[in-house]
Amino acid sequence: MNSFNDPLLFIKGPPVFHLPPNERVEVPYELQDESTSIYEIQKSYSTKTLAIIAKLNFLAKPFQRKVYRPLVFHLKDGVSVQGEVEKVEEDAVTLLVGKEEWMTYPLEAIEKIVWRGSIMN
């Protein structure tokens, strides 16, 4: 066997078969429309909220929690909360405020994050 016969790319998966166009069978529309799966509607966030979510995920890591202190979170209703990011979920963030006190806010509620007097980029 020479190198010209060796495959160039190995992909672990089931084999794929292609049917010629004259052997394909069209599925009736009624069968295509029916579905037993349940799909969740994905939330769409603005680009500003997506940037804040990325910052929150970064700040939730153990090393960053120790380095980036104190953090001030400015909320859209005008409230400022000082603390650190405990965990980020799909639609909410939990902040550790003081000792043993956690507060949960929706992701859309956070307007900006300030560290040492400057807004985090």
Side-chain angles (χ1 to χ4, degrees), residues 37-53:
S37 301
I38 298 174
Y39 297 101
E40 285 188 32
I41 298 174
Q42 296 289 330
K43 278 193 166 184
S44 59
Y45 294 113
S46 67
T47 38
K48 183 178 179 182
T49 305
L50 290 174
I52 289 176
I53 291 171

Side-chain angles (χ1 to χ4, degrees), residues 31-39:
L31 296 177
Q32 289 179 350
D33 192 33
E34 186 177 329
S35 175
T36 58
S37 301
I38 298 174
Y39 297 101

Side-chain angles (χ1 to χ4, degrees), residues 99-113:
K99 291 188 181 227
E100 303 288 327
E101 183 181 348
W102 292 275
M103 300 179 88
T104 303
Y105 295 102
L107 291 172
E108 299 93 8
I110 298 177
E111 190 171 286
K112 61 184 173 181
I113 303 170

Side-chain angles (χ1 to χ4, degrees), residues 7 11 20 32 36-37 41 43 49 68 71-72 75 79 90 94 105 113 116:
I11 299 175
Q32 289 179 350
T36 58
S37 301
I41 298 174
K43 278 193 166 184
T49 305
Y68 293 97
L71 288 172
V72 180
L75 306 178
V79 177
E90 289 183 20
T94 303
Y105 295 102
I113 303 170
R116 292 189 178 178

Side-chain angles (χ1 to χ4, degrees), residues 17-32:
F17 300 101
H18 297 282
L19 292 175
N22 57 356
E23 292 185 19
R24 292 185 184 161
V25 178
E26 290 293 322
V27 179
Y29 179 73
E30 297 84 31
L31 296 177
Q32 289 179 350

Side-chain angles (χ1 to χ4, degrees), residues 47-109:
T47 38
K48 183 178 179 182
T49 305
L50 290 174
I52 289 176
I53 291 171
K55 290 176 198 170
L56 290 171
N57 284 324
F58 173 76
L59 294 169
K61 297 176 184 173
F63 180 75
Q64 282 78 3
R65 288 182 65 192
K66 302 296 181 198
V67 172
Y68 293 97
R69 288 187 193 181
L71 288 172
V72 180
F73 301 92
H74 292 271
L75 306 178
K76 290 189 178 180
D77 58 359
V79 177
S80 297
V81 178
Q82 184 174 351
E84 54 188 69
V85 180
E86 183 69 26
K87 65 180 174 179
V88 180
E89 296 170 343
E90 289 183 20
D91 57 349
V93 61
T94 303
L95 304 175
L96 179 62
V97 182
K99 291 188 181 227
E100 303 288 327
E101 183 181 348
W102 292 275
M103 300 179 88
T104 303
Y105 295 102
L107 291 172
E108 299 93 8

